[in-house]
Amino acid sequence: MSIDHDLSTDQLHRLLGLVDHDAGDDPFPVTGWDAVVWVVGNAAQTALHHRLVLGMELVAYSGPETGNADHHAYVLQAGHVRFVVTGGVDPASPLHDRHRLHGDGVADIALEVPDVDRCVAHARSAGATVLVEPHDVSDEHGTVRTAAIATYGDTRHTLVDRSRYDGPYLPGYIAANGPALATPAFQALDHVVGNVELGRMDEWVAFYTRVMGFTNMAEFVGADIATDYSALMSKVVASGDRRVKFPLNEPARGRRRSQIDEYLDFHAGPGVQHLALATDDILATVDALRARGIEFLPTPASYYSDPALRARIGDVRVDIEELAARGILVDRDEDGYLLQIFTRPVGDRPTVFFEFIERHGSLGFGKGNFKALFEAIEREQARRGNF
Ligand SMILES: [Fe+2]
């Protein structure tokens, strides 16, 4: 694979579509993603999967051997992405209760902030639920200041200031030396999508703008697209420099049952639908992951043969035939284009999945692909008998 793992700041900006931002008057400055924390049914095997298939490195660990009798927590990294996969060890662990309800999924989208107290004070005054008050946690590597606020469903945002800490993850974790067992498949986290209940998307857009000072990005999927093709409505909020982007979906009344309704049923409520991982060589990523057994959503052949596609996307860096051979989708807007592809759900329930994305100037999320994509998703949904 030709993926470059030592990205310059400029390259990272291009990869993620970042914009300049003055944090000075930002009421809730966010520097970036800290970690995506998952609760899964078998953290030991999920961690091994991520090393073998996603090419992540195991860098830290907490569990019975470190004095944490309740659960396993494996901290995995690839490029700028950090996942923490957790699973109950003690039969009485609350993680089992969460897993019983939601299945494998994301419990916490932790964000890196330079001033935890300022963020929490602002969030509280804007009506957010503070789940964990700001406090210090320390060990021989230094001190982390952290707090947590609630977002949609049972999801939370832990806020982390690790500027005074040089340990492998957080106090309570020991360094682990678990090399990646394959070439990393991505370099950065681009966006995390939430599915919320019917009629509540605008409430959550307002939450992120009011509580976290996020801005509403231009791209949205409204009722026009929703009813015919996607049966969902979508808006996007983002942090000041767009490092952190949160598309929010709600079900819409379509011709058939919405895929968002299916998610809400099987996840037992709102939660994270997909994580988009940025790569600078999506062809290499898809080839490698497919060789390791990852299944992607098929794209109809008609998507590539449609003359409207060539007219819509213009010149992209590879031939359409190369994209067609892999099922990679293309979208273009006034700023540039993007290449993207979606996996099947990663766990046992039809809930959370991954997207891989290669941006070339476009700040969008693939709105132009909704029709093609959702036709493909609906075929999958029908195969599961939930359509
Ligand atoms: Fe996406």
Side-chain angles (χ1 to χ4, degrees):
M1 288 174 77
S2 59
I3 287 179
D4 174 2
H5 297 285
D6 282 320
L7 294 178
S8 69
T9 307
D10 276 0
Q11 288 171 316
L12 191 66
H13 274 239
R14 276 197 296 277
L15 194 66
L16 299 177
L18 303 190
V19 298
D20 291 333
H21 171 64
D22 176 8
D25 52 3
D26 188 332
F28 195 116
V30 172
T31 331
W33 310 97
D34 189 76
V36 177
V37 182
W38 302 69
V39 174
V40 299
N42 189 333
Q45 286 193 3
T46 301
L48 186 57
H49 170 278
H50 288 1
R51 293 172 63 198
L52 284 163
V53 176
L54 300 182
M56 303 187 86
E57 188 185 347
L58 176 68
V59 298
Y61 169 77
S62 163
E65 302 85 346
T66 71
N68 163 19
D70 181 75
H71 61 270
H72 279 146
Y74 298 89
V75 183
L76 298 135
Q77 279 181 350
H80 296 260
V81 182
R82 174 156 55 214
F83 287 168
V84 182
V85 295
T86 66
V89 172
D90 188 322
S93 170
L95 296 189
H96 293 304
D97 299 328
R98 186 193 161 94
H99 190 262
R100 175 70 187 83
L101 187 61
H102 298 304
D104 284 14
V106 172
D108 189 349
I109 307 161
L111 302 173
E112 183 184 84
V113 303
D115 189 339
V116 170
D117 296 80
R118 175 177 165 187
C119 289
V120 168
H122 178 77
R124 194 194 313 278
S125 72
T129 301
V130 179
L131 298 171
V132 180
E133 293 292 338
H135 65 287
D136 285 342
V137 281
S138 301
D139 66 7
E140 70 272 23
H141 299 289
T143 297
V144 173
R145 189 143 183 93
T146 183
I149 61 173
T151 180
Y152 48 79
D154 287 335
T155 319
R156 65 173 58 194
H157 292 304
T158 292
L159 308 172
V160 184
D161 167 15
R162 53 178 70 254
S163 59
R164 293 174 292 150
Y165 193 71
D166 65 1
Y169 177 50
L170 290 174
Y173 285 75
I174 58 165
N177 184 20
L181 301 171
T183 321
F186 48 83
Q187 294 142 322
L189 181 57
D190 188 271
H191 59 272
V192 175
V193 181
N195 282 346
V196 302
E197 306 96 324
L198 179 67
R200 296 200 59 195
M201 173 185 66
D202 283 328
E203 251 176 73
W204 286 107
V205 167
F207 171 89
Y208 281 106
T209 52
R210 188 181 73 243
V211 170
M212 294 177 56
F214 279 27
T215 52
N216 201 340
M217 289 182 73
E219 182 155 304
F220 66 95
V221 175
D224 51 335
I225 298 181
T227 38
D228 281 346
Y229 301 114
S230 65
L232 69 73
M233 300 215 283
S234 183
K235 289 183 180 174
V236 184
V237 292
S239 64
D241 69 355
R242 303 208 171 139
R243 175 69 66 98
V244 173
K245 299 180 272 284
F246 291 140
L248 296 159
N249 299 329
E250 71 174 29
R253 230 178 285 278
R255 292 165 302 170
R256 307 290 294 268
R257 183 180 179 213
S258 169
Q259 53 147 319
I260 309 302
D261 286 320
E262 185 194 36
Y263 175 99
L264 295 169
D265 287 350
F266 281 88
H267 187 263
V272 169
Q273 181 212 38
H274 75 264
L275 295 92
L277 297 161
T279 165
D280 67 359
D281 189 346
I282 196 169
L283 277 70
T285 292
V286 171
D287 289 347
L289 291 179
R290 197 164 265 142
R292 298 170 200 163
I294 292 287
E295 293 183 25
F296 295 95
L297 284 188
T299 304
S302 57
Y303 175 88
Y304 299 99
S305 57
D306 184 355
L309 178 79
R310 288 165 202 269
R312 179 168 68 84
I313 66 172
D315 282 337
V316 298
R317 74 170 181 90
V318 288
D319 292 339
I320 287 182
E321 289 67 28
E322 293 289 305
L323 303 175
R326 296 167 176 84
I328 296 169
L329 303 163
V330 197
D331 200 14
R332 181 177 285 278
D333 57 29
E334 58 280 12
D335 300 311
Y337 70 95
L338 61 81
L339 306 174
Q340 64 183 169
I341 193 167
F342 299 85
T343 70
R344 291 208 161 102
V346 296
D348 293 317
R349 304 191 194 187
T351 53
V352 65
F353 58 89
F354 290 118
E355 169 186 352
F356 294 90
I357 184 167
E358 179 185 314
R359 290 188 186 276
H360 291 270
S362 170
L363 302 177
F365 298 83
K367 179 183 175 180
N369 285 319
F370 267 54
K371 175 176 182 290
L373 169 66
F374 287 100
E375 285 175 347
I377 289 183
E378 284 174 357
R379 277 192 294 277
E380 295 292 299
Q381 202 180 333
R383 283 181 48 207
R384 294 190 289 266
N386 294 324
F387 190 51

